[in-house]
Amino acid sequence: MLTKAELHVHLEGTAPPELVSRIAARNGLELPRQMLSSDGRFHYTDFLHFLRTYDLAASVIRTGEDYRDITYEYLCSCADGGAIYVELTASPDHAALVGMSDEEHWDGIARGIDDARRDTGIEGRILVSAVRNFGVEQALRVARHAAERPHPYVVGFSMAGDEAGFPAQDFAEVYLVAAEAGLGCTIHAGEWAGADSVRAALELPVTRISHGVRSIEDPAVVSELAARGIVLECCPTSNVVLGVYDSYEEHPLPALRDAGVRVTLGSDDPPYFGASIEGEYGICSARFGWGEDELREITRTAIEAAFCDEELKAGLRKLV
Ligand code: ADE
Ligand code: ZN
């Protein structure tokens, strides 16, 4: 099977309804009403509604053990699909909202990574992510905690949430804190705002952009991405399901790649979108006509752009 690697997936967003329900039950909590539709799937009508549903699901995740199980189950499913490495974007803001310390949060995820490695051989690392619509002060808290208390598996910093309402330039200090602590940096941009949002993100100390696909709206931004070797973590299924693009055929991933931009794949929030990392590779094959060479290149790019250390990268390269 072709080896795969994933750099863009939100950990709380990997838990399917069945797992969220199991976790709620063992924590003695009712499932939040409005979280699921009558067919048992996560319910949302647009992007901002999706973010609120995500918050509802995250609100029943209460313990390090919950995070262990979510991590373990997700990584095992990725390994089944041929993945050898996954960077999990975790949200200390969501953990803090339910009273969990960053240490319990990270240690729970780390146990999930260790257990999944033991059982399948897959490797994982953690990116901490601030939610931009929680504001700059809160984002600074997330970055400072990660900077002040290094954890061997926390290798990067990201920002998710409402890109259009909370522009990248407001978070310059946050990114300085993260970058100076040696964390690899990425940020959601060019998903719910256009190429100017990517241009602003490129002023931050980032080597990757989460999504970034709407760069295609400005050839100068595309040229800058290509010239600087910035890697886009593309999630075509997320973009089509949430309505950034009406169809895979309209998705700019092939055009960006043809323009010399380095691209990788991610499932973003798999059960919300009916996505998986294996599925995203399959989409590129079925919809964009990519063969094994192109897909292997995606995996190689992901390994080069990963925020883990060189020793781990060297081991991963041998598996591709
Ligand atoms: N949080 C979870 N998924 C997200 C996405 N696709 N964009 C922004 N924030 C998110
Ligand atoms: Zn995302």
Side-chain angles (χ1 to χ4, degrees):
M1 195 176 351
L2 187 89
T3 50
K4 305 170 185 76
E6 173 164 56
L7 302 185
H8 185 161
V9 64
H10 301 266
L11 182 58
E12 296 82 9
T14 67
E18 172 274 319
L19 178 55
V20 175
S21 305
R22 216 186 320 142
I23 286 174
R26 78 182 183 200
N27 288 336
L29 300 166
E30 298 238 343
L31 262 198
R33 272 185 294 142
Q34 298 160 350
M35 189 185 83
L36 301 179
S37 40
S38 53
D39 63 4
R41 298 188 201 178
F42 289 118
H43 172 62
Y44 57 89
T45 51
D46 58 22
F47 174 62
L48 293 178
H49 188 193
F50 154 75
L51 289 181
R52 292 200 301 278
T53 300
Y54 185 105
D55 292 346
L56 288 178
S59 73
V60 306
I61 305 169
R62 295 286 170 96
T63 68
E65 194 62 14
D66 296 341
Y67 273 102
R68 192 229 72 113
D69 291 354
I70 293 169
T71 302
Y72 178 80
E73 294 193 19
Y74 182 63
L75 288 178
C76 290
S77 75
C78 290
D80 268 352
I84 55 172
Y85 179 72
V86 176
E87 282 182 4
L88 302 155
T89 298
S91 172
D93 286 324
H94 285 93
L97 276 173
V98 297
M100 201 186 306
S101 70
D102 287 342
E103 282 69 24
E104 181 174 3
H105 186 206
W106 298 341
D107 286 344
I109 301 169
R111 267 186 284 131
I113 292 173
D114 289 340
D115 291 351
R117 180 194 309 109
R118 178 199 63 210
D119 293 348
T120 70
I122 195 168
E123 267 295 357
R125 291 291 181 269
I126 305 168
L127 311 191
V128 288
S129 177
V131 180
R132 54 216 289 166
N133 38 297
F134 291 178
V136 173
E137 280 310 309
Q138 189 80 346
L140 261 178
R141 182 199 84 86
V142 173
R144 286 201 181 116
H145 271 220
E148 286 162 8
R149 292 177 234 174
H151 184 290
Y153 285 179
V154 174
V155 295
F157 180 80
S158 178
M159 255 185 359
D162 180 6
E163 166 193 4
F166 296 80
Q169 56 269 29
D170 294 352
F171 296 88
E173 187 187 349
V174 175
Y175 272 82
L176 271 185
V177 169
E180 277 176 6
L183 296 168
C185 290
T186 181
I187 183 170
H188 283 63
E191 180 194 19
W192 294 104
D196 282 348
S197 172
V198 178
R199 201 191 297 279
L202 288 172
E203 297 295 318
L204 301 172
V206 297
T207 54
R208 306 187 335 215
I209 302 274
S210 299
H211 298 288
V213 285
R214 290 184 58 192
S215 310
I216 201 74
E217 294 165 19
D218 184 340
V221 174
V222 175
S223 300
E224 184 174 348
L225 291 171
R228 287 174 54 181
I230 300 284
V231 170
L232 302 188
E233 309 148 11
C234 297
C235 310
T237 297
S238 163
N239 294 156
V240 170
V241 172
L242 283 174
V244 180
Y245 298 101
D246 287 339
S247 68
Y248 289 109
E249 284 62 37
E250 287 161 70
H251 198 281
L253 173 52
L256 289 161
R257 183 176 169 277
D258 289 347
V261 178
R262 301 169 75 204
V263 294
T264 66
L265 293 170
S267 59
D268 212 4
D269 304 281
Y272 292 78
F273 309 139
S276 67
I277 186 57
E278 184 181 22
E280 295 305 284
Y281 276 75
I283 292 290
C284 290
S285 159
R287 304 286 186 137
F288 306 149
W290 296 2
E292 274 202 14
D293 288 348
E294 286 93 342
L295 297 177
R296 202 168 287 116
E297 193 58 38
I298 294 280
T299 305
R300 286 207 184 96
T301 301
I303 292 170
E304 296 318 315
F307 293 148
C308 63
D309 61 38
E310 265 310 313
E311 192 184 339
L312 176 51
K313 285 189 188 191
L316 294 171
R317 279 187 204 109
K318 291 190 194 134
L319 299 174
V320 180

